[in-house]
Amino acid sequence: MTAIRSVLVGGSALLAAIALTGCSSDSRGTSESGSKAKANTGVKAASDVVTYHADYPSYESIDSIVKESDVIVRGTVTSSRVQELFPEKSTSDDPAANPQAGLSDAEAAKAEPVVVTVSTVKVSEVLSGNVKPGATVEVSQLGGTLGGVTYAEQETTPLVKGKTEYVLMLADQGTANPYDLLNPEQALYTVTADEKVTPVADDGFDNAGKVDQLAAKADALGRTN
């Protein structure tokens, strides 16, 4: 599953594409506190805050996002890291598939990385997908603090290490890459004491029901695919 996003960095008028597949991580500037993406802007931060504005896929109902999810898990965050990510070289001349289309090799080499946070999630329950309870998965989100600069995306609520239980609706980006939330607001939920699945943002779906009901929905929709 490929998610192509448009990003406006730091208030600049330069628009860049973020491709959440086909990206590789770079070990420079990694810190404990990461996701995969890339902004080809050539714009440096003018202050201690850089704002990303991204255009995400949107879903009409809880059924539609559940059906599109490769994996849905319940779990807690055990650790996270912040890192820069760079795109793998693509030969496509389609800007939608290759944000560097039309650039010379020298221009492409100067492309700005995107800062992401990758959280490690200990899975306590699998609602759908090929993941085992007790396993860990990595989940990437746009933004983070690196080198004294905070990179933020207005729709993203960072996952928090601790006892908070999340339900995450994820896109599988391949074995070498972390998972991504299908949408930063519509695919991120917490679990209440009475097992209710509650959206973290206003644009999330408030009719997800309880965890067992959502799991039954995912199973029913999976069998109809």
Side-chain angles (χ1 to χ4, degrees):
M1 182 180 297
T2 300
I4 302 297
R5 304 173 182 175
S6 296
V7 171
L8 183 63
V9 179
S12 165
L14 296 177
L15 201 64
I18 281 191
L20 294 183
T21 44
C23 294
S24 58
S25 63
D26 188 290
S27 60
R28 295 180 302 162
T30 300
S31 67
E32 285 298 324
S33 149
S35 168
K36 48 193 182 306
K38 165 269 177 195
N40 182 16
T41 63
V43 177
K44 298 294 184 182
S47 66
D48 291 334
V49 177
V50 173
T51 301
Y52 293 139
H53 296 285
D55 185 16
Y56 297 93
S58 182
Y59 300 88
E60 296 180 354
S61 66
I62 187 67
D63 285 21
S64 63
I65 194 168
V66 167
K67 191 170 184 178
E68 287 298 317
S69 299
D70 295 317
V71 170
I72 303 176
V73 296
R74 172 183 185 173
T76 55
V77 176
T78 60
S79 64
S80 61
R81 67 183 184 274
V82 179
Q83 64 189 57
E84 295 177 332
L85 291 179
F86 295 81
E88 294 175 350
K89 187 171 182 178
S90 173
T91 58
S92 173
D93 58 3
D94 179 5
N98 175 20
Q100 294 180 318
L103 297 180
S104 68
D105 288 345
E107 290 171 327
K110 296 178 181 179
E112 290 290 320
V114 162
V115 171
V116 295
T117 299
V118 179
S119 297
T120 299
V121 176
K122 181 67 175 292
V123 175
S124 59
E125 185 174 351
V126 179
L127 284 67
S128 72
N130 189 25
V131 176
K132 301 295 184 184
T136 59
V137 296
E138 290 191 329
V139 179
S140 64
Q141 294 179 288
L142 186 60
T145 299
L146 191 65
V149 178
T150 297
Y151 301 81
E153 198 282 314
Q154 58 185 354
E155 297 179 18
T156 297
T157 300
L159 295 170
V160 177
K161 177 182 176 181
K163 296 181 179 180
T164 300
E165 284 196 296
Y166 293 101
V167 167
L168 308 172
M169 300 175 182
L170 304 172
D172 187 346
Q173 306 293 1
T175 56
N177 296 310
Y179 290 94
D180 291 307
L181 293 164
L182 272 74
N183 177 291
E185 296 180 309
Q186 295 178 321
L188 177 58
Y189 299 79
T190 57
V191 181
T192 65
D194 62 354
E195 293 288 291
K196 185 177 180 180
V197 179
T198 304
V200 299
D202 290 342
D203 284 348
F205 299 107
D206 58 9
N207 62 340
K210 294 190 175 183
V211 176
D212 59 347
Q213 294 170 322
L214 186 60
K217 181 186 293 291
D219 180 61
L221 289 171
R223 285 187 278 108
T224 62
N225 286 348

